[in-house]
Amino acid sequence: YETYFATADALNQATIATYGTLVHQGLWARDYYFIFDLLGYEAKKTSNLLGDMAQLADYNFGPEQTQLAHLWQSLYRIVFRANIVDDRAAVYVAPNDADKNRVKQYLAEAKFLRAYAYFHLAMLWGDVPLYETYNEIITNNYIPRSPVADVWAFVEKDLKEAQADLPVAYATGELGRVTKGAATALLGKMYLYQKKWPLAQTEFLKLTAAPYTYVLEKDYGTNFIPMNQNSKENVFQIMNGPWTDWGVGSQYYMFGGQETSGMKATHSGRALEYGFNDWNNVYIPTASVRAFTYPNPVDGTPYTDPRAKHTFYGDAPSGGATVYCEQCPGGQLAFPFNTADPQGDYKWKKYGYYHQIKNYGAPISNINGQVIRYADVLLMLAETYIQQDETGAAPRGYIDSVRARVGAPLYTNLGDKTNAMNILMRERQLELCGEQVRYFDLIRWGIAKQTINAIRAAEPGDGRQPFEDKHVLFPIPNVEKNYNPNVLAGVKNEWN
Amino acid sequence: QATGTVTGRVTNDAGEPLPKASVKVKGTNTGTLADETGNFRLEQVQLQTTLVISYVNFEEKEIVVTSFNQPFQVKLAGNTKQLTDVVVIGYGATRRKEVASAVSVVSVKEAGATTAPTPSALLIGKAAGVQIVQSSGNPGADAQIIIRGTGSFKSIEPLYVIDGIQSTKGLFNTLSTQDIDNITILKDASSTAIYGSAAANGVVIVTTKKGRSGPPRITLMSQWGKSKEWRRLNLMKAKDYVDLMKDFAASNATTLPAKFSGPGVLVDSTDWQDQIFQSGLVTEHYLNINGGGTNVTYNFSANYLTQQSIVVNQTSKRLNLRLGLEETYGRFKLGQSLAVRYSDGQGSMANLLMAMQYAPYKSIFDKGIPGGYSNVTNVLDASNIDNPLLQPNIKSSRSQGILLFPTLYGEVGILKDLKFRSQVLAEVFFSRSSAWQYAHTASNNLTYPRQANLSYSDYNNYTFENFLSYAKTFGEHSLSGVSGMSFQAAGSSASLAGIGTGIANDNIRNISVATSRSLNGGGMNYGRTSVISYYGRANYVFREKYIINASYRRDGASNFGPDYRWGNFYGAGAAWRFSDEDFLKGTILSDGKLRAGWGRTGNNSIGNFLTDPVTYAGSPSGVLVYSFGANEAFVPGVTVNALATPDLRWEETDQTDIGLDLGFLQNRFTVSFDYYKRKSNGLLVSVNMPGSVGVGLTGGVNQVKTVNAANAQNEGFELTLGYQQQLGDVRVNVSANGSINNNKVLSLGKQFAAPIRSGKFNNLNEMTYTAAGGSIGAFYGYRTDHVARDAAEVDALNKLAAAATNNPNAVYQVGLKPGDFIYKDLNGDGLLTDQDQEILGSPIPKYIYGFNAGVDYKGFDLNVVISGIAGVSLLNGTRFNTHALATGHNVSTDMLDRWRQPGDVASLPRAGQNATGTGNLRQSDWWVEDGSYMRLRNLTLGYKIPVGFTRGVLKSARIYVAAQNLFTITDYAGYDPEVSVMPGGNYLFSRGIDLGALPQPRTFLAGLEIGF
C-alpha cells in the first residue's frame, strides 16, 4: 500500500479505480436506472420483471432490498477508494511540477467522486456514517451515523475544493474525467436540493459563460445514441464503453462480475433489459406517456410534445414512435402495439437502438448514462429564479431555449410562481424523462407521495397507492445494520 | 519335562506362506520368526507349552505342543479390524493393545472395497463419528470427510497422511482404492496433537499396499457396470402447464403470448427428464504385480477407471500408476515410490434445473435457431429457461491433468533401539483444459458466438521430514518415543487461461483458428502456506497394562504476522488394560481397556496475505477498468479491496476424550465406546463488515475481515459393536457403529457478535444463520401456518393486528393476499416482523450410523454396507423451481394442489409468487425438509472359483456382482438426500442447501479377479 501508491501514475490508477465503481452494482451498469425509474414511476414492471426489481416496482421492499443494498455498498466503495487517493496524495512527494499538478488533479477528481457518493447517501438515506479519511476506516469499522447536515457540509467542502483544482476540459483521450464544470454543476445542484437558491444560481450561471462552452445539441436525440460521449451538452456522463469481444469482457458483467469474472467491461444493460423485443422488463407508464400531451402554450389546444417520439414506442395518438428498425436491412417494421394489453403497451425507446437492429441478443449497449447535461443545468437555473419568485424573462428564456431545440411552442409568459413551477416541473419531466432525475425531483419538491399515488391509482393495470410516508427515505440496508451495532441502535421501525 | 525342537509352517487360508510370522511362547518374550517361506524352528521347547502364532492383519492362533515329531501346519485366518496387531499413528505405529486414543481402522478388505470409486467412499459407514459427504453424483466428484462435527469456522478438512507423510486431500483422492491397504482415523487430540496446527479436524492416515518378497504375484481385476438415477420427479404435462400459465397471467395482470390460445402448447412434445438421464457405463481394470528377493521388494500397480455421468454428456477417465521399491541392507532401509494419476474429463453436463423447468410443449430441435436447439423467450413463451440439451451439446470441454507424487525415504538403525528416518514427498501437478462452444442462440434470443478456451495450470510443493524413533523394552517396562522436524515448503502455483473468438467456421474446433485471442486469466502465486514444525512424543507401557503417552508440537506458519507466527500444541493420553488384571482373568472378558486423553490442536487454514493491505487490480489482474476518451477505451485502475488484520493468531481446539474398549469370548463380541468434548477457542472467522466500510467487491457479498473471534463446541458419543464367529463352513463378521454429535457456537467474539448469515440464492434472503447458542450454519426463518383461503381471512388477521397494536391501519403480514402463505406470529405481538424467525434445523447430522456385514460360506462371500444419518435438516432449494412460480416454467405435479380461487384449501400458494426476502417465498420452514436417510451403500456377492484345473497357472479366481445405492429410505422429496453444499458455498455456512446437484447414482457391477 505505502510502497505502491507513491507515484503519480499509481495515484492515477487509484483514481481510475474510484471511477470504476460507477459501473458497479447499484450504479450505472444496470441497477441505477431500474431503481430510480421504477421508484420515480417512469418505468412500470412487466410480468418478466421479477424478484428484487419487482419489489422496487411495487414499493414492497424493506432493508433487505438487493439493489438498494448494492447502491449503499457501491457508494461507500467510491468513498473508500477516493479516501485512498486522498490519503496517499497527502503524503505524496512530487519529483517535478508536472507530477505535482497531475496529483492535484487526481485528488480533485477523487473529491468530486466522493462528493457524488455522499450526495446520494445524504439525499436518499439522510443521516449516514461519514468516513472522511482512509485512516478512520482502518481504525474503526463501526462508526455511527452523522447528521445529514454534516454530510452535506462535507459534500460542499469536497466540491469546492474539486472545483478549484479541476481543469475545464481534457485532451480527447481523457474525455469522461470530471471537469471543473461538472463540479460546479453538482455544487449548484447540491445547493438547489438544499433550497439555497442564490448559491445555486451563482454556480449554474458560471456554466453559461466563459471559460465554459456548453451548448444544447441541435438534435435532442443525439444525447441518447451510442456516440453521445461527444455531445457538447455533456456536463457529466457515465462512460459506458462498447462491448467488443468475449475475449475482453463478458456481456453479463453487470450482474456482479465487475472487476472479476466480468473481465474488462463498462457497457450498459439498459437497452436489452428495457427493450420490448428482448427482455421486455418494463413498460413506460401510461401516465408518463400522457404527460407528453398538454395544452399548447400558444393557444391552449392539446399539444403532443415532439420529445415523445424520442422517448417511447406506442400508437400514433400517443405521439410515440410507431416504427422501428428504420436502418435494418429488411426495412422498417411497425411497432406491434397490443391494444388488448391491460397495462397499456407503451415501451421505452430512449437509450435504445432498435432503429438499427431488430433484437439486441445481448446486453452490450455503449450509450452513456447522463448524469448532468446542459439542458438540466438550464432548467435548474430557471428554477432558482422561479423559487425566488422571479418568473420573468430570465427563467422563461432558459425554459424556452430547451423547448426551442425540439421545436416545441415557446412560452411567452410563465405566470405566477405556482404556474411557473408547474411549467418547470413538466418541462423537467418531459426533457429528462428516463434520465433518473424525476425521483430526486419529486422527493426534493416534497410531492413524491401525492404524485406517485395519484398517477399509480389511475394507471391501467396498477391502481395501487404504494407510497407511504416512510418511503421519503430509503431503509438502512441490512448489509449495514446487521453488521454495525452503532447504526442499528438508531434505526427506527426497521426502516431508517 | 521333556524339551525338544518344534518346527512348522505358517500360511494363510489359501496355503500361501506368511513370511516373518511371529511364533512366541505364551507369556514370555521367547520366540522366533518364520522365514520367507513361512517355515519356523524353535528349539528347547517344553511339552505342553502354548505357542502364540501371530501375523499382521491375521488372527492370532495358539497351539499346544504335544509332540516334537511332526511339523505343525498353522493356518492363520485373515483378520478383521478388531484384532489388527499394529495401528499406524502419527510418525510411527503402535500395537493395538497399547493404543491409548480414539482410533478407527478401516481395512480395505472389509467392505466390498473393490467397488468403491474413491478412497473416501471406502470409509462410508465404517467408522463411528466419521461422516463422508459426497459432493455430488458427478463422475470424478470428490467427497468430504468430516470427523466429529464441525469445529472450525474456516475449514472442516482433516489432515491426510499417506504412508507416514503429511499430505493433502487432493493426493488422498488421487489414490486408487485398490492400492490402499487400510485407513486409520485419529479422532482424539491425544493422538492428533503431534500434528499440531494441522490436526484440529482429525487425521486420516492411509497405508498403501506394499510388495512382499517372493516370486511375482500378479493380480488382475476387471469390472463393468451401469449407473442410473434412482428417482425421478413428477413434472406437469403440457395441459396442466398451460393451466398454470393462465393462472400466472391472471395473478400478474398480464396477457399471455398468442401461442397460448392455440392448440400447439397442449401437445406433450418432450419428456425432458427422459432426454437428459442416461444409463452411464462404468468400467475399472486393475493390475498389480509384486514380489522381491531378500533385500529388495517391489510393487507395481495400474488402475484404469472410466465413468459416464447419469446425465448427458460427461465422461471421466482416470489412470493411476504406482511403483514402489524398498531395499534393506543391514541396518539401512531405503524406499522409493512414484504415484502418477492421469485424469481426463470430457464433455459438458446437462443441468437438472433446466430439465425440471423447460416447457413440455417444446420440441428438442428447431432448425430456424442458430445452433439448432429450440428456445423460449419472454416475448413468445413468457419463459426464459434454457433448453436442457443445449448446454451438453453446444459446449464441449476437456480437462486433463497429470499429478506426480514421488516419495523417497531412508531409514537407518543408529543403535539397536534407535532409528533415524528421513523422508521427502513432492506433489507436482500439471493440467490443461480446453473448451469449445458452437455459435448458438439461447433462450430469450441471447446470442453467443463460436468460442474456444484453453488454459494451463500447475502447482508443486514438497514436504521434508526427519525424525528419530526409539523403542525399548526393559523387563516389564517398555518405552518408545519419536522426535523430529517437518518442513512444508510453500511451493508455487501458476496458471494461464486464454480465450479465442472470431472463429470463421466449425471445421477446426479449437483456439488455434481464432482470429482474436486474449488472456482471460492467469497469475503466479505460492502453492500454499509454508509451515515449519518440531515435534516429539513419548510412550510408556508398564506390564502391557498401564499405558501413558504425551506429545508436543511447535508450528510456525507464514500466513500469520511476524509476532504471532508460532503456536504450541500438545496432548497426553493414558490407558489401563484392566482385562489383564488377575481378578478378571478367566472371565468372559477377553479384552478390556479404559482410555482417557486430552490435547490441544490448532488450525491455520486461512489464505495468505491477510495480515497486510494488498493492492488490487482486478481478478484476473488488469480487469479493473473504466472507460475514458472519445472511443471509450479501457484504462486500468488499482486500489485496495480488503482490510488487513495484522494481529491474526493461531486458533486453539481443546479436546477431551474418554473411551472404553471391551472384548468378550475371545473377542468374538467387541464393544468400543467414546465420549468426547471438543472446544475451540479464538476460531478464525471471516467477520462481515458493515457496508459503509466500502472495501470488497461487487456480487452482493459483504466485505469480510478475518479475525480470531468465535468459540464453538462439539460434544458427542460414539459406539462401535462387533461380532464375528466361525460356525462350521460359515464365517460371519458383523459390525455396527453410531455416533451422536452436538454442535454449538459458544460465542462470535467480543468485537461485534453479528450472526453470520449465508446461503443466499435466487433473490431470497440468507437461509442460514450462525450465532451463539445455535449450531454452525443452522437454517433460520419463519414458520408457515397455511395458505390464506380468502380475503375475509386476511381481513380478520388485520383486525386482530389492529387490536393488538392499537393502530387501525396495522397490517398483520405486509403484502398478504388470498392464496399466499400466512406465517406464524411467533412472538405474539400481533404482527409478523423480523422477530418472528427462529432456528428451523441444522444441516449437521446429530446421528451418524453404519452397519457392515460379511458372510463367507465355502467359496461364496457376501458383503453388505449400510449407512445413514438422522437428526438432520436439508434446505430443498429446488422447491423454488418445482413448487413455486415467479416466471413461466414447468413445475412438479404437486403444484396441482395450488390455491386458485377464493375458498380453496390448498397446500401450495397461488402461481406468480415473486421471490424476494420479504415476499411469500421468504426463508421459512417451507423449504426445510428432514434430511435423514438410510442407504444400502454396497451389496457384493462373490464366488471363488476353484482353480485346481488350471494346474497352477491360476492361483485364485473370483467372480462377483455388486450393487451400490441399491435402496434409499428417506422422506426427502428432492432427487437425493446426500446433499453437500450449495454451489459456490462452503461446508460451514451453506451446507445442506440443495440447488439441484446431481444425485448419487445406483450402480450395478459385475467383475472378475484373477491371481497368478
Side-chain angles (χ1 to χ4, degrees), chain B residues 605-656:
Chain B
S605 50
I606 50 169
N608 289 327
F609 312 118
L610 293 175
T611 53
D612 295 297
V614 289
T615 57
Y616 180 75
S619 168
S621 190
V623 303
L624 196 174
V625 294
Y626 190 66
S627 291
F628 283 144
N631 298 319
E632 301 177 321
F634 298 129
V635 286
V638 178
T639 188
V640 170
N641 79 328
L643 292 179
T645 322
D647 56 350
L648 275 183
R649 59 189 75 202
W650 291 92
E651 64 178 49
E652 290 166 351
T653 295
D654 290 353
Q655 185 173 188
T656 309

Side-chain angles (χ1 to χ4, degrees), chain A residues 204-220:
Chain A
F204 291 135
L205 277 171
K206 286 180 188 168
L207 298 171
T208 63
Y212 304 106
T213 56
Y214 299 115
V215 290
L216 295 180
E217 280 289 325
K218 203 188 278 165
D219 177 6
Y220 176 72

Side-chain angles (χ1 to χ4, degrees), chain B residues 912-985:
Chain B
Q913 294 288 357
N914 188 31
T916 65
T918 52
N920 217 236
L921 301 178
R922 65 182 74 187
Q923 62 282 11
S924 75
D925 59 354
W926 181 68
W927 301 89
V928 179
E929 295 188 29
D930 184 352
S932 306
Y933 69 86
M934 184 168 91
R935 184 161 257 184
L936 180 59
R937 287 284 159 194
N938 184 54
L939 181 67
T940 306
L941 179 65
Y943 175 64
K944 281 204 184 79
I945 304 170
V947 290
F949 70 92
T950 64
R951 297 171 193 278
V953 175
L954 293 185
K955 283 216 180 73
S956 66
R958 174 174 174 262
I959 53 170
Y960 59 90
V961 289
Q964 291 167 347
N965 301 330
L966 188 58
F967 72 78
T968 305
I969 300 173
T970 182
D971 286 337
Y972 184 66
Y975 274 112
D976 197 278
E978 267 197 271
V979 173
S980 60
V981 303
M982 155 182 154

Side-chain angles (χ1 to χ4, degrees), chain A residues 52-338:
Chain A
D52 38 35
M53 288 295 188
Q55 279 184 302
L56 294 171
D58 295 339
Y59 267 89
N60 175 21
F61 56 87
E64 83 296 345
Q65 212 288 330
T66 310
Q67 279 70 34
L68 300 185
H70 286 162
L71 179 63
W72 175 277
Q73 288 172 311
S74 291
L75 291 170
Y76 274 107
R77 207 172 292 123
I78 296 181
V79 172
F80 178 74
R81 293 184 179 187
N83 278 338
I84 291 173
V85 179
D86 194 347
D87 185 61
R88 291 294 95 193
V91 295
Y92 173 71
V93 182
N96 54 49
D97 278 355
D99 279 1
K100 190 174 170 186
N101 289 329
R102 279 171 66 196
V103 170
K104 201 162 120 185
Q105 173 205 317
Y106 301 147
L107 177 59
E109 291 176 76
K111 284 179 174 169
F112 173 90
L113 292 168
R114 186 165 65 188
Y116 177 80
Y118 276 126
F119 184 110
H120 280 86
L121 289 162
M123 180 67 200
L124 299 170
W125 281 279
D127 302 351
V128 292
L130 180 63
Y131 285 106
E132 297 186 18
T133 66
Y134 178 77
N135 197 45
E136 277 179 285
I137 297 175
I138 297 307
T139 48
N140 183 359
N141 303 145
Y142 307 102
I143 65 169
R145 294 157 76 185
S146 293
V148 66
D150 293 0
V151 182
W152 284 124
F154 188 62
V155 172
E156 184 176 353
K157 174 172 169 285
D158 261 352
L159 286 174
K160 281 181 173 164
E161 288 170 11
Q163 191 183 34
D165 290 339
L166 283 167
V168 173
Y170 289 93
T172 318
E174 303 269 270
L175 183 78
R177 284 181 177 263
V178 183
T179 59
K180 193 186 280 290
T184 307
L186 191 61
L187 182 60
K189 192 167 165 178
M190 189 208 106
Y191 288 137
L192 183 80
Y193 277 33
Q194 291 177 79
K195 308 194 187 330
K196 295 176 177 170
W197 317 117
L199 287 170
Q201 199 170 78
T202 312
E203 297 304 322
F204 291 135
L205 277 171
K206 286 180 188 168
L207 298 171
T208 63
Y212 304 106
T213 56
Y214 299 115
V215 290
L216 295 180
E217 280 289 325
K218 203 188 278 165
D219 177 6
Y220 176 72
T222 54
N223 284 305
F224 315 107
I225 59 164
M227 290 308 286
N228 64 346
Q229 65 267 29
N230 298 323
S231 167
K232 293 188 186 68
E233 199 172 326
N234 294 341
V235 179
F236 185 53
Q237 275 195 342
I238 302 302
M239 298 294 277
N240 291 118
W243 177 82
T244 51
D245 189 294
W246 277 97
V248 177
S250 161
Q251 295 174 337
Y252 301 95
Y253 85 111
M254 72 275 291
F255 296 100
Q258 288 96 338
E259 303 181 0
T260 54
S261 57
M263 303 289 291
K264 293 181 184 173
T266 55
H267 58 272
S268 151
R270 169 156 34 190
L272 180 97
E273 295 186 89
Y274 279 25
F276 67 87
N277 240 0
D278 284 273
W279 288 6
N280 189 25
N281 275 329
V282 291
Y283 298 99
I284 177 170
T286 310
S288 302
V289 168
R290 299 278 177 260
F292 282 88
T293 300
Y294 54 92
N296 189 323
V298 180
D299 55 19
T301 57
Y303 173 75
T304 302
D305 196 282
R307 284 169 288 197
K309 220 174 226 61
H310 294 282
T311 307
F312 58 90
Y313 291 103
D315 51 354
S318 68
T322 54
V323 294
Y324 70 109
C325 237
E326 296 94 317
Q327 299 169 18
C328 296
Q332 71 177 35
L333 298 166
F335 170 72
F337 187 78
N338 178 4

Side-chain angles (χ1 to χ4, degrees), chain B residues 725-749:
Chain B
Q725 190 154 22
Q726 182 96 31
L727 296 160
D729 284 340
V730 182
R731 189 180 151 78
V732 182
N733 173 21
V734 180
S735 82
N737 66 74
S739 62
I740 302 176
N741 181 66
N742 262 314
N743 177 282
K744 198 161 124 185
V745 178
L746 299 178
S747 110
L748 285 180

